[in-house]
Amino acid sequence: MIKIFFRLQLVQLRSAMEYRADFWIAAVGAILQQLVSIVFLVTFFGHVSSLGGWTLWQILVLQGLVMAADGLREMFTDGAWQLRADVNSGSFDRVLVRPVPPVVQQFTALASIHGVGNAGLGVVVLIIGLAHSGVQWAWWSVPLLVLTVLCGAILTTAISLLTNMIAFWEPSAQSAFPTLIALMRDFAKFPLDIYGAGIRFVVTVLLPYGLISYFPSRLVLGVGDAPGWWAVTPVIAAAGSSLVASLVWRKGLNRYQGVGN
Amino acid sequence: MTAVEETTWRGRTEPGPKYLSLARTTLQQAIAYRITTLFNVGLTFIWVIILYYLWRSAYAGRTSIGGLTWDQMRTYVVIAYGINALVGWRTGSAMMATIRTGDVVFEMVRPLNYCTTQLARSVGYTVVEGAVSLAFTLAIGLIFLHIEAPASVAAALLFVLALIIGFLTKVLVVFLVSLLTFWTLNGMGLMWSQQAIMQILSGTIVPLALMPAWLQVIAGVLPLRGIVSTPLQLYLGQSTGWDAVGLLGLQLFWLVALWVLANLAWRRAFRIVEIQGG
C-alpha cells in the first residue's frame, strides 16, 4: 500500500517538475505567505518584550511546528484539495473503479512540491526558535517534537479531507469553506492563553490545532506548569481526527455512489 | 417602415456606456456567488481576531506603542483588513484564468482599453464583495471591538478620497501581477507572493510607524502603502495639513505611474501572444 502511495506520488511529482519555473514560483509564493507572520512577530517584539510569558523565540517554536506539519501535509496529501474539482467534473468515478483504495488515490491526485519549501522553512524556524529558547533538553524532547510534527501532518490532512468532502453533499466547487477552516491553524501559531475562551475551545477541541503546537511546546520549552500527559496530546489529535475523517469518508463514498453520479 | 425598425432596434444600436455595463455584469456574478463572498469575509477575520488579541495583551499596562493608543490600534487593525478585502482574490484570479485558457484573445479583439476593462470589472466585484466585506468588518468592529470614528470630518473626507485612490492602485498592481501569467503558468504562486508582499508593505499586518527602520523606508516610498496605510493615517488624524497633502500626492503620483506602466506592459504581453499564437 505504502509502495503504491509513493509510486503514485512520484508520477505526480515528475509531471509537476516538467515546469521548473512554476515550481520555483509556487515555492517562493508559499514561503512568502509564511513570512508575513514572521515579519509581524519580529516587528511586534521590537516594541514588546514578552507575550503572555512567551518570548519571541518560544513563539517561533509554535510557528515552526505548525508550518512543518502543514508543509508535510502539502507534500504528501495535497490531493485532498482536488476532491471538489474531481467530484464536480465526474473524474472521481475513475477513482472508484481502480483497485487501489480511493483515499490513497485522492491524496496522490496532486503533488504540491512547494510543500518542501513550507516544511523546510518550518523546520528552520523551529530549530532557530529552540536554539534561542534555553530549552532544558531531556531524552524525550526531540522524539516528542518529531512526533508532534508527524501527528500535526495527520491532523491537518484529516481536516483538509473532511472539509473538502463537502463536495459529496454540496457540489459547489466555489466555496471558500475548506480554506477558512484550514487557515484557522494560524490561531495555533501563537500561545493560546492570549485568546478568549471561545477561540481556545475551538482550537483545542473542535479543530485541535492547539494540540499539535501549544501543548507539546509548553512541555518541551517548560513554559508554566505542564503536566506530563500533554506529551500524548498530538496523538489524541491525530487519532481522533483520522477516525472522524475515515467515518465521514465512508459515508461520503456511499452517498456519492447512492446518488448515482 | 424605417421608423418602426429604428424603434424596435433601439436596444442594440444604442448600448449603454461600455465600461459601466461591464461593471454591472461582474456585479451580478458576484451576487451569484454570495456564499463564497461570505466565506471570504470570514477569511480576513481570522487575522483580525489574532491581531486583536495579540495587541490587547501587548497594551496591558501600556498606553501607547509606536505613537498609537490601544483604541487607535484596534481601529487600525479592523479597518486595515476591511480595506484589504476591497479588492479580493477574485479579480486577480479571473484575469489569470482568461490568460491561461486563452480567452484573453477575445479581450484583445474588443474595441476597449484592456486596463479600463479590468478596472471596470473590479469595480463590479468591489461593489458587492468589497462593500459587503467592509460593511461586515465595520459592523463587527463597531459592536464587538469598539473601534473609533474618524478623527474629524476633514479626516473622514480625506480618508474616502485616499481610499478610492488606494483602491485603483491595488487594481493596477493586481493587474500587473496577473500579466506575468503570460510568461509563467503558475498563477497560484504569483497570487500568494503578491498577497504576502502586499500585506507587509501596505501596512495591513502592522502599521508602517512600528516597522523596523529599514523596512519603514522601503514601505514608505512604494505605492503599496497608498492602499491601506495612507487612508488609515488620514482616518486616525495622524497626518494633517501639508503632511496629508504630501501623502495624497505620493498616492496620485504612483497611480499615474502604474497606469502608464500597466498599459505599456499590456502592449508587451500582447506582442508575445501574437508571436506564440501565429
Side-chain angles (χ1 to χ4, degrees):
Chain A
M1 184 62 57
I2 290 170
K3 217 169 134 192
I4 294 174
F5 177 80
F6 282 105
R7 192 168 300 165
L8 284 169
Q9 280 285 0
L10 202 68
V11 173
Q12 290 291 342
L13 221 78
R14 282 217 190 104
S15 76
M17 278 310 264
E18 289 289 302
Y19 305 98
R20 197 143 305 188
D22 261 36
F23 161 68
W24 284 111
I25 289 169
V28 169
I31 288 175
L32 277 175
Q33 287 241 310
Q34 302 296 334
L35 277 182
V36 173
S37 64
I38 308 261
V39 166
F40 170 78
L41 266 182
V42 172
T43 307
F44 185 81
F45 275 92
H47 301 270
V48 177
S49 56
S50 109
L51 177 68
W54 292 64
T55 64
L56 168 62
W57 307 107
Q58 288 171 330
I59 294 174
L60 284 185
V61 172
L62 293 178
Q63 307 250 329
L65 284 174
V66 176
M67 279 159 65
D70 199 56
L72 281 184
R73 176 202 60 78
E74 240 179 333
M75 274 164 75
F76 293 111
T77 64
D78 214 22
W81 287 86
Q82 186 75 27
L83 182 65
R84 285 175 296 159
D86 286 351
V87 169
N88 270 294
S89 69
S91 60
F92 189 70
D93 286 347
R94 242 181 332 183
V95 169
L96 292 176
V97 295
R98 284 194 193 132
V100 177
V103 75
V104 171
Q105 292 183 54
Q106 198 55 51
F107 281 156
T108 53
L110 190 75
S112 292
I113 13 180
H114 54 256
V116 177
N118 272 342
L121 186 68
V123 171
V124 169
V125 169
L126 179 62
I127 291 173
I128 293 175
L130 285 168
H132 291 81
S133 294
V135 181
Q136 300 283 324
W137 291 100
W139 64 268
W140 45 263
S141 301
V142 174
L144 177 58
L145 288 167
V146 174
L147 179 78
T148 303
V149 172
L150 293 179
C151 286
I154 295 173
L155 173 74
T156 48
T157 296
I159 290 178
S160 67
L161 185 63
L162 270 169
T163 51
N164 279 285
M165 270 191 267
I166 196 176
F168 291 132
W169 285 271
E170 185 57 59
S172 88
Q174 281 286 326
S175 175
F177 167 71
T179 318
L180 179 68
I181 300 295
L183 276 185
M184 295 233 191
R185 65 169 180 263
D186 283 358
F187 284 127
K189 287 182 176 175
F190 301 93
L192 301 190
D193 326 73
I194 61 165
Y195 302 120
I199 293 175
R200 276 211 303 269
F201 176 76
V202 170
V203 197
T204 314
V205 180
L206 293 183
L207 303 163
Y209 293 117
L211 301 189
I212 54 120
S213 65
Y214 174 75
F215 292 98
S217 300
R218 270 186 63 176
L219 208 56
V220 172
L221 297 171
V223 179
D225 285 328
W229 69 268
W230 280 8
V232 295
T233 51
V235 181
I236 296 173
S241 59
S242 318
L243 186 71
V244 175
S246 65
L247 287 176
V248 179
W249 176 249
R250 213 149 290 164
K251 267 220 152 100
L253 286 188
N254 278 336
R255 177 171 164 96
Y256 183 82
Q257 287 164 326
V259 171
N261 287 320
Chain B
M1 190 185 150
T2 46
V4 174
E5 256 178 21
E6 250 171 51
T7 47
T8 39
W9 285 98
R10 174 163 286 176
R12 290 282 173 89
T13 51
E14 286 177 31
K18 319 178 267 203
Y19 296 110
L20 199 70
S21 65
L22 271 173
R24 205 176 323 128
T25 320
T26 47
L27 187 146
Q28 281 156 354
Q29 278 170 11
I31 291 175
Y33 291 112
R34 14 175 215 280
I35 299 196
T36 307
T37 305
L38 216 64
F39 278 121
N40 283 337
V41 175
L43 285 181
T44 60
F45 252 95
I46 292 179
W47 268 87
V48 171
I49 295 169
I50 292 178
L51 290 174
Y52 171 81
Y53 281 114
L54 283 170
W55 286 118
R56 192 181 70 160
S57 64
Y59 274 98
R62 294 174 71 165
T63 50
S64 146
I65 296 177
L68 289 167
T69 64
W70 168 222
D71 289 333
Q72 286 178 320
M73 182 61 87
R74 222 166 44 217
T75 310
Y76 189 101
V77 168
V78 173
I79 299 183
Y81 273 84
I83 296 176
N84 213 24
L86 272 181
V87 181
W89 180 267
R90 190 105 45 83
T91 311
S93 53
M95 266 187 246
M96 287 181 176
T98 58
I99 296 172
R100 275 207 72 163
T101 57
D103 282 349
V104 70
V105 183
F106 298 116
E107 310 270 1
M108 289 172 168
V109 296
R110 284 189 188 134
L112 302 170
N113 177 312
Y114 188 67
C115 266
T116 320
T117 306
Q118 295 305 341
L119 219 57
R121 290 220 170 108
S122 310
V123 171
Y125 279 132
T126 301
V127 169
V128 177
E129 208 175 68
V132 169
S133 307
L134 197 62
F136 257 102
T137 316
L138 288 179
I140 295 179
L142 282 170
I143 297 166
F144 295 105
L145 307 176
H146 310 291
I147 58 173
E148 286 191 329
S152 64
V153 178
L157 291 174
L158 286 175
F159 167 71
V160 172
L161 181 63
L163 191 65
I164 294 169
I165 304 175
F167 165 76
L168 297 173
T169 308
K170 186 164 177 185
V171 175
L172 287 174
V173 172
V174 172
F175 173 77
L176 276 166
V177 174
S178 307
L179 281 189
L180 291 175
T181 332
F182 275 111
W183 287 273
T184 168
L185 289 167
N186 198 311
M188 268 309 235
L190 285 176
M191 290 286 274
W192 286 338
S193 309
Q194 182 247 98
Q195 265 199 333
I197 292 170
M198 199 171 292
Q199 278 208 332
I200 296 172
L201 293 181
S202 69
T204 308
I205 189 87
V206 64
L208 255 56
L210 271 74
M211 289 177 178
W214 61 272
L215 192 59
Q216 222 174 95
V217 172
I218 297 172
V221 295
L222 288 178
L224 297 180
R225 72 170 300 182
I227 299 166
V228 172
S229 177
T230 301
L232 266 165
Q233 263 175 286
L234 297 168
Y235 183 98
L236 294 173
Q238 284 192 311
S239 56
T240 47
W242 284 111
D243 197 25
V245 173
L247 281 179
L248 285 168
L250 184 69
Q251 251 192 328
L252 275 175
F253 162 76
W254 272 116
L255 184 64
V256 174
L258 285 170
W259 174 257
V260 172
L261 198 65
N263 274 295
L264 282 177
W266 168 245
R267 230 164 286 156
R268 259 312 272 283
F270 189 90
R271 267 214 299 273
I272 284 197
V273 173
E274 275 187 317
I275 294 161
Q276 287 183 337

